[in-house]
Amino acid sequence: MGWEPLPNRSGPRRLSEALDQVASRLKVPRSQVLKMVFAAWEDLVGSVMAAHSSPVRLVDGELVVAVDDPAWATEMRFFSNELIGRINAIAKEEAVTSLTVRVRPG
């Protein structure tokens, strides 16, 4: 993958616009989508699920979620289609296309 300079723009611009442009090049979603997934995780999955899970990364449409027990991995996988739909509906774009669940070691 080659790096190209960002297009020149005259005058100041919003930081979120610049971050969204960089995010696009890195194949991660807009900053608002990342904020919604990472900062509002409990709102997306509920307090019980949030106590046992956390988003790890969202790159190229794949959301990786860590859970603290294999039973919660099963629960998260069962809930994955609903969660993907919820995120995409709020984001108003197809920000998440797949969900991978990993059990935290120890």
Side-chain angles (χ1 to χ4, degrees):
M1 161 167 89
W3 291 96
E4 299 173 22
L6 295 175
N8 243 349
R9 298 184 106 188
S10 61
R13 61 183 172 160
R14 293 185 167 283
L15 178 59
S16 63
E17 182 183 335
L19 289 174
D20 287 344
Q21 190 174 16
V22 170
S24 168
R25 292 171 158 268
L26 297 174
K27 298 187 177 185
V28 296
R30 295 177 299 112
S31 59
Q32 286 301 95
V33 174
L34 292 173
K35 181 179 178 182
M36 177 207 21
V37 171
F38 288 85
W41 183 247
E42 186 173 339
D43 294 334
L44 287 168
V45 300
S47 60
V48 174
M49 179 72 79
H52 299 281
S53 67
S54 60
V56 175
R57 69 184 178 119
L58 176 53
V59 176
D60 205 16
E62 179 191 31
L63 175 61
V64 178
V65 176
V67 296
D68 58 13
D69 186 85
W72 286 105
T74 300
E75 187 71 23
M76 180 60 73
R77 287 183 188 103
F78 180 76
F79 177 61
S80 66
N81 287 335
E82 182 180 338
L83 178 58
I84 290 169
R86 187 177 295 173
I87 292 169
N88 291 339
I90 294 169
K92 297 183 174 113
E93 66 180 81
E94 195 172 337
V96 179
T97 56
S98 65
L99 189 138
T100 300
V101 182
R102 301 221 166 97
V103 178
R104 292 182 191 110

